Amino acid sequence: MKPRLIGLAVAAALALPFAAGTAHAKATADEIARLGKDTNCIGADKAGNADGSIPAWSGKWLGVPPQVDFKGTGNHPIDPYAGEKPLFEITAANLPQYAARLTDGQKALFAKYPDTFRMLIYPTHRDFRYPDAVCEATKRNAEEAELLDDGMGVHAYTNGVMFPFPKSGLELLWNITVPYRAYTEELISDNAYVIANGSINWGRVKSRNMGPSHKPGMIEPVGERAASWYLNETLLPERDRGEINTGVEFYNYGKQPRQSWRYDPGTRRVRQSPGYGFDMSFPGTGGSITVDEVRIWNGSPERYDWNILGKRELYIPFHAYRVHSPDIKYSELLMKGHANPEYMRYELRRVWVLEGKLKEGFRHLYGKRVMYIDADTMFPIMADNYDARGEMWRTSMLNHFYAYEMNTWQAGAGFYHDLNAGTYLGFNLINEQPNAYRLNENKVSERDFGPEAARRIGQ
């Protein structure tokens, strides 16, 4: 890989956010009684779909499946379904046959790249489950969780899905911004901004994140604790090397907004970054993504009106192991226009659809955004973002895999497409890194974040 241009201060965050809701829409007694019976423990229907293309949820595995030889965190993900072949392929030619199970963004990619974009569809798997403590916390949230301060904050318990039966867009937004995820995360990743002609501007970032409320097994009210800390140090390009961005988020944006700081290697000083977030360009990505779309969504919900558009059965990236493989070189993975379809894995899954419309009087690059959330896990997988005229502008997809070392799913490589410019960003790539994600090693503490930590690293 030849490092050039683009800087990177990546990795956003184990961010957290909360939605702007209002009402106290707690689950009903009947809904709570369903948890773990005809739904899995976070509220997804266990039954398969009508035509059998989505199987019944089994949840037969927690941690490492018997057929997987996993060497521990820091190693690249190992595919438990490695021997499978695609069931079929969707191309621009047969797209009408499958259109009902595709997003507008996927259809736009077929229209933009009819000769090269295609989707390999694999069997759907529902084999992994959450730990018992997550189920217990989710049940307590079903009974007690509620939005505070018009949805800018939330009362809930740590380590559970906040609203297993979301009654409003804001509740669903809270679910995706604070899912059950890594307690600590460290990695070095590459970012490739692929220009329309196929040339690539490279960046590299060293990231560490910590979600204090995600300590495994801990079930406590979120209170005023920090929801997440992040620190991103730019390694490439050389011109931005040494820049550090760090910050902290809480569980109530109305009372405790995000705090962030930036270390400038030129002046060797740390300065606060007021208002960091929303549609500010994410550092080092050449303006290709906004801060609040890292990992599909993060940050305050205040600029949009949020509504649930229902559930759909869609082909989405999932159980995405091959796209992270060290056997796949970047030169093989990154094509002109989009990632190489041979290394992507799509499944038919039930998906929540969440729409955000920009509030009158507020400003943002996106006038509307539609996000697609896997119902079995409550992780956001894809998003379609529209400009102020209502025209489709950008579409993004995130590749998740089940991380055995922490018994939950990990957000991996993301691909963010600008349909107007014909460019895309390959984000958080690890294929050519000697180590993958180091998850839940518990080697960092709050002392490793914030302005003092940035000064120490910058010296």
Side-chain angles (χ1 to χ4, degrees):
M1 181 186 76
K2 185 186 297 182
R4 287 194 263 160
L5 217 32
I6 257 204
L8 261 281
V10 184
L14 270 187
L16 16 132
F18 293 178
T22 308
H24 301 172
K26 296 172 185 172
T28 66
D30 288 343
E31 288 172 332
I32 294 170
R34 294 179 59 201
L35 289 172
K37 294 180 180 176
D38 66 324
T39 75
N40 69 8
C41 78
I42 67 163
D45 291 336
K46 282 186 175 179
N49 67 350
D51 65 13
S53 51
I54 297 178
W57 183 85
S58 73
K60 61 184 179 183
W61 292 330
L62 177 69
V64 186
Q67 75 274 27
V68 170
D69 181 19
F70 180 57
K71 301 297 185 186
T73 197
N75 290 281
H76 286 74
I78 298 178
D79 189 350
Y81 311 114
E84 286 186 342
K85 303 296 182 186
L87 297 172
F88 58 91
E89 179 182 57
I90 303 175
T91 67
N94 66 9
L95 182 151
Q97 181 181 346
Y98 303 101
R101 287 173 166 175
L102 297 173
T103 67
D104 288 346
Q106 289 169 329
K107 294 174 189 173
L109 288 171
F110 278 114
K112 182 81 174 178
Y113 308 107
D115 296 329
T116 56
F117 187 74
R118 53 198 174 92
M119 295 169 56
L120 300 177
I121 310 302
Y122 288 81
T124 301
H125 293 288
R126 306 176 72 196
D127 296 327
F128 292 99
R129 68 179 185 274
Y130 279 120
D132 290 345
V134 175
C135 300
E136 180 183 342
T138 300
K139 184 177 180 182
R140 294 184 71 169
N141 281 334
E143 296 167 339
E144 299 183 37
E146 58 187 17
L147 302 175
L148 305 175
D149 300 322
D150 292 330
M152 292 293 286
V154 67
H155 162 70
Y157 288 90
T158 59
N159 278 329
V161 170
M162 298 206 169
F163 301 100
F165 302 100
K167 304 294 194 299
S168 70
L170 283 166
E171 291 186 351
L172 185 54
L173 189 72
W174 273 97
N175 285 348
I176 69 170
T177 50
V178 195
Y180 177 63
R181 59 191 172 198
Y183 172 43
T184 64
E185 175 189 84
E186 295 182 86
L187 81 155
I188 294 177
S189 61
D190 298 304
N191 293 276
Y193 182 47
V194 185
I195 310 300
N197 65 9
S199 63
I200 300 175
N201 296 333
W202 288 99
R204 180 174 296 161
V205 172
K206 182 178 182 180
S207 305
R208 67 172 61 139
N209 300 298
M210 184 175 75
S213 61
H214 298 295
K215 187 173 184 178
M218 182 178 74
I219 303 176
E220 296 179 357
V222 297
E224 297 183 358
R225 75 179 69 233
S228 69
W229 290 90
Y230 64 90
L231 188 145
N232 303 314
E233 179 183 357
T234 300
L235 304 180
L236 290 177
E238 287 294 338
R239 70 167 186 230
D240 295 329
R241 186 178 181 87
E243 178 181 308
I244 297 170
N245 287 278
T246 183
V248 58
E249 310 222 26
F250 300 92
Y251 284 94
N252 192 320
Y253 282 97
K255 294 181 176 177
Q256 294 175 293
R258 170 188 286 165
Q259 297 181 40
S260 59
W261 299 268
R262 175 179 176 272
Y263 172 80
D264 180 354
T267 62
R268 303 181 70 181
R269 299 186 66 177
V270 175
R271 297 182 184 278
Q272 194 154 22
S273 305
Y276 181 73
F278 303 105
D279 58 356
M280 295 174 66
S281 175
F282 194 76
T285 62
S288 57
I289 64 173
T290 63
V291 171
D292 67 4
E293 67 177 318
V294 171
R295 297 190 180 180
I296 300 299
W297 171 260
N298 76 88
S300 169
E302 67 200 63
R303 294 192 181 184
Y304 291 88
D305 290 316
W306 299 97
N307 291 290
I308 297 174
L309 300 185
K311 278 184 185 175
R312 295 178 59 188
E313 295 178 2
L314 294 173
Y315 296 112
I316 63 173
F318 212 76
H319 293 121
Y321 294 88
R322 199 175 180 200
V323 73
H324 300 98
S325 170
D327 297 330
I328 309 300
K329 301 299 181 187
Y330 293 144
S331 59
E332 301 171 283
L333 176 64
L334 303 169
M335 296 172 51
K336 186 167 71 172
H338 52 78
N340 190 332
E342 286 295 323
Y343 307 127
M344 297 291 290
R345 189 186 195 285
Y346 295 89
E347 293 185 2
L348 182 65
R349 301 184 68 86
R350 292 192 180 98
V351 172
W352 286 95
V353 184
L354 176 63
E355 179 189 74
K357 286 188 174 180
L358 189 62
K359 290 179 179 177
E360 189 173 345
F362 284 79
R363 184 191 62 79
H364 197 288
L365 287 176
Y366 302 144
K368 185 177 79 169
R369 49 210 306 168
V370 178
M371 295 185 277
Y372 305 93
I373 301 150
D374 178 61
D376 280 357
T377 62
M378 287 292 184
F379 279 93
I381 307 297
M382 302 182 69
D384 294 335
N385 296 315
Y386 299 78
D387 63 19
R389 301 168 301 173
E391 300 294 326
M392 171 79 72
W393 179 8
R394 291 171 172 170
T395 186
S396 51
M397 58 184 74
L398 201 50
N399 292 276
H400 284 74
F401 59 90
Y402 187 83
Y404 310 122
E405 63 269 52
M406 60 176 189
N407 300 326
T408 187
W409 287 262
Q410 171 71 13
F415 295 103
Y416 295 78
H417 301 266
D418 186 321
L419 296 163
N420 295 338
T423 61
Y424 72 99
L425 177 72
F427 186 70
N428 266 359
L429 306 175
I430 60 170
N431 307 66
E432 295 190 15
Q433 286 296 326
N435 296 310
Y437 299 82
R438 307 192 76 90
L439 303 169
N440 285 9
E441 282 193 316
N442 307 336
K443 292 184 176 179
V444 297
S445 67
E446 293 190 1
R447 184 178 181 277
D448 297 304
F449 303 89
E452 293 304 320
R455 285 191 189 94
R456 287 196 302 273
I457 296 171
Q459 296 304 312

